[in-house]
Amino acid sequence: MKAYLVHKSRVFTLNTFPTKLGRNLDNHLVLSNSAVSRYHAEIFMEDDNFYLRDLESTSGTYINDVEIDRPMVLVPGDTIMLADVKLSFYTDLEHLDSTTKQRTTNLEEGTKLDSEEHPED
């Protein structure tokens, strides 16, 4: 079963579970945003479902604008917020335009994302 995270026009294929997200360099997706905790959250699989778990981050983890305090099931199209970094979760790429699909990166430990958000984006 495949899963993807989309940030703006970049697509990251999740290959390893749990997939760790945070500012520290040993996360799978390294988010270079000072509001993101060193080990902020993780995505894991259980019983053919994908879950998002907050790792006691200081600024919170949200699914569709609701802060989570326990592992929550991810549904395709969900919006994930880690501090002020916005990611979208999908299990296929059918809805994405061809340019975005060409910007797909396999997520491995240390994949970096310049995630500083700017109001004009």
Side-chain angles (χ1 to χ4, degrees):
M1 189 175 237
K2 291 256 187 193
Y4 306 90
L5 291 176
V6 179
H7 180 265
K8 298 181 183 179
S9 61
R10 289 188 66 189
V11 180
F12 299 94
T13 304
L14 307 183
N15 294 314
T16 304
F17 297 99
T19 299
K20 297 192 183 277
L21 313 168
R23 210 174 63 241
N24 219 52
L25 294 176
D26 61 347
N27 286 291
H28 294 94
L29 184 58
V30 178
L31 304 169
S32 59
N33 183 303
S34 59
V36 172
S37 294
R38 289 177 298 176
Y39 299 101
H40 198 105
E42 68 181 3
I43 296 172
F44 66 96
M45 277 189 72
E46 188 174 289
D47 300 326
D48 292 328
N49 289 307
F50 293 99
Y51 289 84
L52 179 66
R53 174 181 11 238
D54 181 76
L55 298 176
E56 299 180 17
S57 66
T58 56
S59 54
T61 299
Y62 298 78
I63 298 176
N64 301 325
D65 297 321
V66 176
E67 188 169 12
I68 65 170
D69 59 2
R70 64 185 187 284
M72 298 294 292
V73 173
L74 286 168
V75 177
D78 276 349
T79 299
I80 298 169
M81 292 290 292
L82 306 178
D84 58 355
V85 178
K86 181 179 178 180
L87 302 163
S88 299
F89 174 81
Y90 296 101
T91 54
D92 64 59
L93 300 177
E94 293 177 16
H95 67 286
L96 298 176
D97 62 60
S98 59
T99 303
T100 302
K101 286 180 187 177
Q102 291 175 2
R103 294 185 181 138
T104 300
T105 302
N106 284 320
L107 203 54
E108 298 174 9
E109 186 174 310
T111 301
K112 293 182 182 177
L113 172 64
D114 178 10
S115 56
E116 293 292 341
E117 293 292 320
H118 304 284
E120 65 274 6
D121 288 345

